[in-house]
Amino acid sequence: MDRVSSFDEPLKKLLGGATAKVMAEHLDLHTVGDLLHHYPRRYEERGKLTALADLPLDEHVTVVAQVADARILMFNNGRGKRLEVTLTDGSGRLQLVFFGHGVHKPHKELLPGRQAMFAGKASVFNRKMQLAHPTYQLLDASDADEATEAVDAFAGRLLPIYPACKQLDSWRIAKAVDAVLPSARDAVDPLPASLREGRGFTPLPEALLKVHRPQTKADVEDARARLKWDEAFVLQVALARRRYADTQLPAVARRPVADGLLDAFDAKLPFTLTEGQEKVSKEIFDDLATEHPMHRLLQGEVGSGKTMVALRAMLTVVDADGQAAMLAPTEVLAQQHHRSITEMMGELAEGGMLGGSDRGTKVVLLTGSMGMAARRQALLDLVTGEAGIVIGTHALIEDKVQFHDLGLVVVDEQHRFGVEQRDALRSKGKQPPHLLVMTATPIPRTVAMTVFGDLETSVLDQLPAGRSPIASHVVPAKDKPHFLSRAWERVREEVGNGHQAYVVCPRIGDDAEEAEGKGGKKAKAKKQAADEDPEKRPPLAVLEIADELRKGALAGLSVEVLHGRMHPDAKDDVMRRFAAGDVDVLVATTVIEVGVNVPNATAMVIMDADRFGVSQLHQLRGRVGRGSAPGLCLLVSEAHEASPARARLSAVAATLDGFELSRIDLEQRREGDVLGQAQSGVRSSLRMLTVIDDEEVIAAAREEAVAVVAADPELEHLPELRTVLAALLDKDREEYLDKG
């Protein structure tokens, strides 16, 4: 078997069809290499064998003992059951406890008189020592040698616990790994020899053996350090090659023109740009002036003036005879951008129209819900080049949409927009257009280096002059109901002072199942569960809360709703009236999270705030305090004071620094959500590396990767690295990186 093919061997050859099928369908493992890279999630320390009389508290222990008796007890009015088993080993007694569905198997197997090994964490309950849900292995009392061997194998080892699934538990995966471990000898080592030796890394075959079957904790550390490096390095080489390839692509240079549209726009600005806006604009203008496509990520806090920076870049491209397209994730946002950009440009946005400026251009909107006539006109303006700027949703990507000369694509809120869609729009140019990706979600440096590793990064970290501070407070609605009453009084006070407010809820409401009379058993069961445990009640809903507020705390005020299921025209109508000041309070879902700009809105009450992520709360809060009056954000929660949910809310209330919050958010959610489904290519290749904790590894690997690719872009002298890259970045992942 040659070096590469043993890793490519299908699992069904070694493990049999049934096991291989489950691994393929539920764990996405298909080859020997896949399984060898399916690393243990953690290791269980079984501890040395311990006599029952000497059990240490709060430690993992392994005991051999005999079952004295076992009984099932009911609790919670007969709805719950618990199995209690008493063990004895001659030195003392110990209680085991199993709950819920976990009682059936031990109830059948742990009969009085049976001898077994048990492993778990020793704790005290009702002044008795116990093990809750221990793992166990029955011993055959008739064969003393076999029992001794089993005890030795079971106790005192680091037992790998694998990411498993319902159909295949960890110990069966461990058995399968045993079958393929000999192939670890054939591992192709991606690290250049000089790098491997310079950093003193364990050889790869040894690292694979150590990670799956460690003898000591030091083995685990060794293996992890090596395997993390491989992942970080291979990924960074892929990204460095992508950046290098991008520098080889042709693009039309778009240089600023004196006395053009940009100068006319700058001359009528009623304020000066911040230093940050000037600096980032220069970075963008420098990129636009080169003859290969710009790929830049613009990060900026909510309200830091990203749209202004993007608009100036678009005007530069129009000056240089190109067109610019801005892509927004929702219709509400596209309409809003169109409104604010045409307002900022004034007569410069009316090129070719009566009263328009002779230096102006047309700014058109293109969304899925537009009428036929308006849509036909917009398409015509794009293909003739009459419209220099187009703002729209993914409707912009449809085949029918043709540009005269697309020079720049601006993507707003990247994390809401699939890479395929972005790529489709880029293919609309005669040559690849320049690309500017904007996000208001501050991205920690490590994520920027991995998820957006092929984009250069610019950060806007100053707020423009005149933006007001936002005070944030947690409102513990359950412990202190009068705090919630006070929150509604504060909303009334803000409205009384001529301002407006948002109330945000996690759910729309009116679900068929929960509507009065239709719910039947399900609705009753939900209500009963909610009464017993507030964590289980459905999240608060827009329609219900709006109704309660109109009848109660905010009676007499103009209260309207906004959510994703409304017809686009109705949504736009509500937003227009809210922006015009005709609506006092807008009760909405997170549709207002991104880009909604109403400077007169000063207060926000977020209901069930603990049901939102940290970054999302920060985004929502950025909708208030956009004018000259200070903003107020009230985070309403029924979560218990000592709960992690409340700790999260306190963190949000304590700082307005989005980067600090994004770090907290990342630590809470770990990688899965960050890399997201759309970026499965990278996600599925990161098995050992954690984007949060391994900043130093990622930064060092990026440096090494850049040097390697600069010296040898095709990796001609590094065939092993090329082989591993090809295996890791199969077609889908390569395409993912292509799309940035």
Side-chain angles (χ1 to χ4, degrees), residues 302-421:
V302 174
S304 58
K306 292 184 302 299
T307 310
M308 173 61 70
V309 168
L311 175 55
R312 294 182 73 243
M314 293 197 284
L315 296 175
T316 303
V317 169
V318 175
D319 273 342
D321 300 325
Q323 290 169 295
M326 185 184 234
L327 224 53
T330 64
E331 293 211 355
V332 167
L333 198 51
Q335 288 160 346
Q336 173 126 1
H337 276 317
H338 182 251
R339 246 192 326 270
S340 64
I341 283 173
T342 48
E343 277 165 19
M344 282 197 266
M345 287 176 65
E347 75 281 0
L348 296 172
E350 294 164 0
M353 291 186 250
L354 270 177
S357 162
D358 54 354
R359 280 190 291 186
T361 186
K362 243 184 179 183
V363 179
V364 301
L365 175 70
L366 191 61
T367 63
S369 65
M370 281 169 74
M372 239 3 250
R375 188 178 170 74
R376 199 173 291 123
Q377 185 58 53
L379 290 172
L380 188 64
D381 288 341
L382 285 180
V383 77
T384 58
E386 190 81 11
I389 295 176
V390 58
I391 294 151
T393 55
H394 48 87
L396 277 178
I397 297 165
E398 291 166 11
D399 294 341
K400 292 190 202 80
V401 182
Q402 298 296 323
F403 290 86
H404 178 64
D405 181 10
L406 180 61
L408 170 67
V409 175
V410 178
V411 180
D412 190 20
E413 287 308 326
Q414 132 71 29
H415 64 292
R416 307 214 151 191
F417 217 88
V419 281
E420 290 79 9
Q421 294 159 312

Side-chain angles (χ1 to χ4, degrees), residues 169-471:
D169 52 28
S170 174
W171 69 266
R172 281 171 64 200
I173 294 171
K175 270 187 140 155
V177 169
D178 284 335
V180 302
L181 257 184
S183 300
R185 289 190 304 270
D186 304 326
V188 176
D189 198 323
L191 298 190
S194 56
L195 194 161
R196 194 169 62 235
E197 286 148 23
R199 291 186 177 264
F201 284 130
T202 304
L204 184 56
E206 194 185 315
L208 287 167
L209 287 170
K210 280 180 169 178
V211 80
H212 288 292
R213 297 294 172 263
Q215 299 299 310
T216 62
K217 287 183 177 175
D219 282 354
V220 176
E221 290 311 306
D222 258 12
R224 287 192 160 190
R226 168 66 217 253
L227 296 167
K228 275 180 183 183
W229 243 92
D230 283 18
E231 282 178 15
F233 179 70
V234 171
L235 179 59
Q236 291 302 335
V237 167
L239 291 163
R241 288 184 76 196
R242 179 64 43 226
R243 288 194 300 274
Y244 177 82
D246 284 340
T247 64
Q248 308 304 301
L249 285 175
V252 178
R254 311 282 179 177
R255 297 183 180 87
V257 171
D259 293 329
L261 191 51
L262 178 64
D263 284 352
F265 175 74
D266 283 349
K268 63 192 278 298
L269 274 182
F271 50 81
T272 53
L273 297 174
T274 65
E275 262 176 63
Q277 284 174 317
E278 293 278 14
K279 177 176 146 285
V280 170
S281 288
K282 184 181 181 319
E283 290 170 352
I284 292 170
F285 291 158
D286 289 350
D287 282 358
L288 289 174
T290 61
E291 293 186 345
H292 60 82
M294 164 171 83
H295 285 116
R296 190 165 283 279
L297 172 69
L298 172 55
Q299 297 187 56
E301 279 287 12
V302 174
S304 58
K306 292 184 302 299
T307 310
M308 173 61 70
V309 168
L311 175 55
R312 294 182 73 243
M314 293 197 284
L315 296 175
T316 303
V317 169
V318 175
D319 273 342
D321 300 325
Q323 290 169 295
M326 185 184 234
L327 224 53
T330 64
E331 293 211 355
V332 167
L333 198 51
Q335 288 160 346
Q336 173 126 1
H337 276 317
H338 182 251
R339 246 192 326 270
S340 64
I341 283 173
T342 48
E343 277 165 19
M344 282 197 266
M345 287 176 65
E347 75 281 0
L348 296 172
E350 294 164 0
M353 291 186 250
L354 270 177
S357 162
D358 54 354
R359 280 190 291 186
T361 186
K362 243 184 179 183
V363 179
V364 301
L365 175 70
L366 191 61
T367 63
S369 65
M370 281 169 74
M372 239 3 250
R375 188 178 170 74
R376 199 173 291 123
Q377 185 58 53
L379 290 172
L380 188 64
D381 288 341
L382 285 180
V383 77
T384 58
E386 190 81 11
I389 295 176
V390 58
I391 294 151
T393 55
H394 48 87
L396 277 178
I397 297 165
E398 291 166 11
D399 294 341
K400 292 190 202 80
V401 182
Q402 298 296 323
F403 290 86
H404 178 64
D405 181 10
L406 180 61
L408 170 67
V409 175
V410 178
V411 180
D412 190 20
E413 287 308 326
Q414 132 71 29
H415 64 292
R416 307 214 151 191
F417 217 88
V419 281
E420 290 79 9
Q421 294 159 312
R422 217 163 70 199
D423 203 43
L425 189 59
R426 270 170 53 182
S427 68
K428 299 262 180 202
K430 292 174 185 168
Q431 287 190 327
H434 299 282
L435 176 69
L436 180 65
V437 173
M438 302 197 298
T439 178
T441 307
I443 300 164
R445 183 168 161 251
T446 46
V447 180
M449 284 191 293
T450 46
V451 182
F452 303 105
D454 60 337
L455 298 172
E456 299 300 329
T457 304
S458 294
V459 179
L460 269 179
D461 48 12
Q462 288 169 286
L463 289 187
R467 285 298 302 259
S468 306
I470 305 169

Side-chain angles (χ1 to χ4, degrees), residues 470-473 602-606 617 621 624 631-635:
I470 305 169
S472 305
H473 304 285
T602 52
M604 175 176 284
V605 180
I606 303 178
L617 290 169
R621 168 172 63 185
V624 295
L632 173 69
C633 179
L634 301 174
L635 306 165

